[in-house]
Amino acid sequence: MPDSHAIAIVWFRRDFRLTDHLALQHAARHAAEVVPVYVLSTWTGPHAWTGVPRQKFLCGCLKSLDANLRHQGSRLHLRRGPAVGAVEALVRETGATLLCYHRDPDPFGREVERQLEKQLKPLGVELRAFTDHVLHGPDEVLTQSGTPYRVYTPYSRAWLELDKQAPRSDKPKFKTPTGLASEPLPDLGTWKLEDDGCGMLEPGERAARKRMLDWLNRPDRLHRYASDRNLPAAATTSRLSQDLRHGLISIRELYRRCVEARDDAPSAGARKSIDTFIKELAWREFYMAVLHHFPEVLDEEFNPDYRRLPWGTDEEPLRRWQRGETGFPIVDAGMRELLATGFMHNRVRMITAMFLSKDLRLHWRLGESWFMQRLVDGEISSNNGGWQWSAGTGADAAPYFRIQNPWTQTQSYDPDGAYIKQWVPELADVPARRLCEPPRGGDDRLARKYPPPMVDHSEQRKTTLEWFKTHKR
Ligand SMILES: Cc1cc2nc3c(=O)[nH]c(=O)nc-3n(C[C@H](O)[C@H](O)[C@H](O)COP(=O)(O)OP(=O)(O)OC[C@H]3O[C@@H](n4cnc5c(N)ncnc54)[C@H](O)[C@@H]3O)c2cc1C
C-alpha cells in the first residue's frame, strides 16, 4: 500500500520493543516518516502505585529502546507529560496526520486515549489503536449472553478456544525526521527518587528475548512447570512477568512458541506442563478483563458481601510485614526477596498477602499498594486480582474460610528451608523442620537475632473466621 501519510507518530507506552510491534509496523507501512515518542510522567516523590524498582527498570527499557531505534537510524523522542498535551504538541510541531499506539489495559490509560481522541480528531489526525498486551481484548471473551465472566475457569475455557493472532517477525524499516527536540533519557532523579540498591533482572528487549528463549529451551524447567512451579527455592518459573508488563516480548510470539514447544514435547506430562503455563497467561488476561469490566475493583471489594469489613490500618504491624520482620520465616523470606529484587515468587505472594489480610486483618489495599511500589512486574490488574483473591473478596477468590497456614505452607513448598535460608540469614543454622511449626517450649524465638512470631496463627484464624461472619453482608 502506498504511503498515505507524510509523518506518523508512534506513541510508546508500555511496549518497549521493535519486534512484532503492531503500532510501529502500521506506521512504517503507511507513512513516509515515523516519529517514535515516549511521554514521561510528571509526578515526583513517593507514589502509591509505583516506586524505585519499576521506575529503574523503566529507565533501562527506555535506554535500550532508544539504542535499538538508533541502530535502525531513528531515535526515541522523550517528552514531558501529561500525555495528551505532549502528544498534541508533537502533532502540531511535526504536522503528523497519523498516530499509532497500543491500547492500555488500565482504566487510567484508556481515559487518556479518550481525551487524546477528542483532542486530535478535530485536527484531522487519524488515530490507530491496536490490541497488543493480550491475545484477546476484554470484549472478545464473553459468556454466551454477551456478559463478562466473573469466574476464571469458564473464562479460560472460552479463551483457549479462540483463534489467536500470529506474530509478525519482520522488523519495520522507516525514516525519522531529524532535528526534533527531546528530553534526555530519564533516571531516578527525573521523579526525585533515590536508588535504594534494589537489584533486578536486566531491562530491555534483548535481555527479555533471551529470557524467553532460555525458558522455552530448558525442558528441565518447562516440562516440569506443572509440578515445580509452586516451589520458590527451585526458581523454575519463567521470570517473564516484568517483560510482559513492559511489552519487551510479544504475547503473540510467546504463545506461538509455547504451542510449538507443546507439539514437540516428548511426554503427556511435558505437554500438561506447557498447558499449565499457557493457562497462567490466561489468568493474566482474566484479571485484565475483570479490571476492564469492573473498574470499581480499584476502589472496593469485587464481592459486595465483603464491602463492610472493618480492616485495620495500624502502621507498626504493616511496617513489620513490609520489612520482613513478622517472625514467620516464609513470610519474611518473601518480603525480603521483594525488597531486595523487586520480585516475589507466586506461591509466596499468596502466603504473604493472606498473612497481611487474614492473620493481621490489615486492609488488603495497603498490601496492594506496597506490592505496586516494590514489584518490577507491578501490574494493576494482576496485583489487584491477586490481592482480592487472597483476601477472599475478589472475582473467583479463595473463600474467606480458606486461610493458608504459613507453617504448613512451608512444610509443603519449602520443606528443606532453602528459600527461607536464602532470604533470612539469621535462620541459616535452624533445622528445616523447626521452620515448619511455631517455636515451642520456653523460647519463642527460632534464632537469637530473629523476632518471635508477631501473632499466633491458630488464634488469628479463629478470630478472622468470626470477624468475616460478623461483618459479612
Ligand atoms: C498478591 C498477588 C499479587 C500479584 N501481583 C502481580 C503483579 O503485580 N504483576 C504480575 O504480573 N503478576 C502478579 N501476580 C501473579 C504472579 O504472582 C506473577 O505473575 C508471577 O509470580 C510472575 O512470575 P513468573 O513470570 O515467573 O510467572 P510464571 O509462573 O512463569 O507465569 C507466566 C506468566 O503468567 C502470568 N501469571 C502467572 N500467574 C499469574 C497470576 N496468578 N495472575 C496473573 N498472571 C499470572 C504472568 O504474566 C507470568 O509472567 C500476583 C499474585 C498475587 C498472589
Side-chain angles (χ1 to χ4, degrees):
M1 184 180 294
D3 298 341
S4 45
H5 297 269
I7 297 198
I9 293 172
V10 175
W11 177 29
F12 284 86
R13 304 174 78 191
R14 38 172 289 172
D15 41 11
F16 306 123
R17 65 177 194 280
L18 300 185
T19 314
D20 194 29
H21 193 288
L22 300 179
L24 188 59
Q25 285 167 351
H26 184 87
R29 271 201 308 278
H30 294 278
E33 293 189 300
V34 174
V35 181
V37 65
Y38 178 79
V39 183
L40 294 161
S41 49
T42 52
W43 56 269
T44 52
H47 192 294
W49 289 93
T50 186
V52 170
R54 200 156 64 260
Q55 295 308 117
K56 204 155 95 172
F57 193 79
L58 170 67
C59 291
C61 291
L62 292 171
K63 189 170 169 201
S64 138
L65 177 64
D66 182 49
N68 295 343
L69 284 165
R70 283 178 192 268
H71 193 67
Q72 303 230 359
S74 176
R75 64 166 300 189
L76 184 63
H77 298 83
L78 290 136
R79 294 290 165 105
R80 273 275 179 178
V84 178
V87 174
E88 186 190 342
L90 189 61
V91 162
R92 291 185 187 275
E93 205 177 311
T94 55
T97 49
L98 175 64
L99 174 71
C100 304
Y101 58 89
H102 294 147
R103 284 186 196 97
D104 199 283
D106 299 336
F108 312 109
R110 280 201 312 280
E111 180 52 32
V112 174
E113 288 160 28
R114 274 190 286 275
Q115 287 176 22
L116 199 57
E117 202 168 310
K118 225 162 75 189
Q119 208 73 9
L120 294 189
K121 279 211 167 142
L123 302 182
V125 178
E126 185 188 341
L127 285 92
R128 288 301 309 263
F130 299 86
T131 298
D132 177 73
H133 300 296
V134 286
L135 287 159
H136 299 296
D139 291 324
E140 272 179 74
V141 192
L142 298 171
T143 63
Q144 289 195 335
S145 51
T147 56
Y149 286 100
R150 294 169 160 264
V151 176
Y152 168 76
T153 305
Y155 170 92
S156 68
R157 257 188 239 121
W159 184 93
L160 284 165
E161 272 173 21
L162 291 173
D163 287 339
K164 315 252 176 304
Q165 204 182 337
R168 292 177 51 129
S169 56
D170 52 314
K171 278 208 176 149
K173 291 195 172 46
F174 54 89
K175 287 191 195 136
T176 295
T178 52
L180 289 170
S182 172
E183 295 273 332
L185 283 163
D187 57 22
L188 286 176
T190 306
W191 299 281
K192 295 201 177 10
L193 297 173
E194 270 178 40
D195 200 342
D196 57 12
C198 171
M200 62 183 58
L201 298 180
E202 189 184 339
E205 179 175 1
R206 192 184 52 84
R209 283 192 72 74
K210 181 168 182 317
R211 278 190 285 274
M212 175 173 70
L213 298 177
D214 284 353
W215 162 247
L216 292 161
N217 290 321
R218 289 274 307 264
D220 56 323
R221 293 181 170 191
L222 183 62
H223 293 174
R224 297 177 55 86
Y225 180 78
S227 57
D228 290 357
R229 76 200 157 104
N230 276 311
L231 306 174
T236 50
T237 61
S238 71
R239 291 302 312 269
L240 292 176
S241 50
Q242 66 290 320
D243 305 330
L244 289 167
R245 164 65 182 82
H246 293 88
L248 296 171
I249 52 175
S250 147
I251 186 70
R252 294 174 292 278
E253 183 178 356
L254 176 61
Y255 176 79
R256 171 56 64 92
R257 287 181 182 275
C258 285
V259 171
E260 286 166 4
R262 187 181 48 193
D263 291 346
D264 292 344
S267 64
R271 281 192 290 281
K272 182 176 165 227
S273 270
I274 298 170
D275 282 336
T276 305
F277 179 75
I278 290 174
K279 285 183 194 152
E280 296 299 337
L281 302 180
W283 265 111
R284 174 175 169 270
E285 301 198 6
F286 171 65
Y287 282 139
M288 285 185 178
V290 168
L291 179 58
H292 176 86
H293 292 293
F294 309 100
E296 63 273 18
V297 292
L298 293 182
D299 297 316
E300 57 189 2
E301 286 73 13
F302 179 85
N303 185 335
D305 287 350
Y306 303 121
R307 286 189 186 154
R308 297 220 194 113
L309 302 174
W311 297 102
T313 53
D314 289 356
E315 275 180 25
E316 172 57 12
L318 176 66
R319 199 198 56 77
R320 285 185 66 176
W321 175 82
Q322 288 172 337
R323 300 283 139 208
E325 294 166 2
T326 66
F328 284 77
I330 190 77
V331 173
D332 293 343
M335 299 310 293
R336 293 189 199 184
E337 180 186 19
L338 179 63
L339 277 176
T341 67
F343 180 81
M344 194 197 295
H345 185 276
N346 181 58
R347 168 60 47 184
V348 193
R349 289 189 204 200
M350 291 195 270
I351 297 172
T352 54
M354 242 190 222
F355 182 80
L356 184 89
S357 55
K358 303 273 180 62
D359 282 71
L360 302 182
R361 288 185 297 284
L362 289 179
H363 205 309
W364 58 268
R365 296 197 65 189
L366 298 170
E368 178 194 28
S369 171
W370 180 248
F371 270 30
M372 283 308 287
Q373 289 169 40
R374 297 303 309 175
L375 283 171
V376 175
D377 67 25
E379 177 77 76
I380 293 180
S381 48
S382 301
N383 192 48
N384 180 277
W387 272 96
Q388 293 228 36
W389 184 92
S390 305
T393 61
D396 204 11
Y400 77 84
F401 48 81
R402 195 182 298 154
I403 299 182
Q404 286 173 347
N405 177 331
W407 304 108
T408 53
Q409 289 283 309
T410 306
Q411 174 68 58
S412 305
Y413 301 114
D414 193 30
D416 58 5
Y419 175 74
I420 288 175
K421 290 179 186 211
Q422 181 184 356
W423 295 108
V424 190
E426 303 97 290
L427 299 175
D429 298 327
V430 177
R433 67 182 159 71
R434 292 200 55 217
L435 303 173
C436 304
E437 54 187 28
R440 286 183 208 286
D443 195 358
D444 60 356
R445 286 171 185 264
L446 284 164
R448 201 164 53 83
K449 290 193 177 154
Y450 187 67
M454 61 190 282
V455 291
D456 176 329
H457 172 74
S458 41
E459 288 299 319
Q460 292 306 312
R461 184 175 180 282
K462 280 187 228 147
T463 312
T464 299
L465 290 175
E466 281 308 311
W467 186 80
F468 263 92
K469 269 191 226 149
T470 309
H471 299 290
K472 184 172 179 260
R473 200 170 72 177

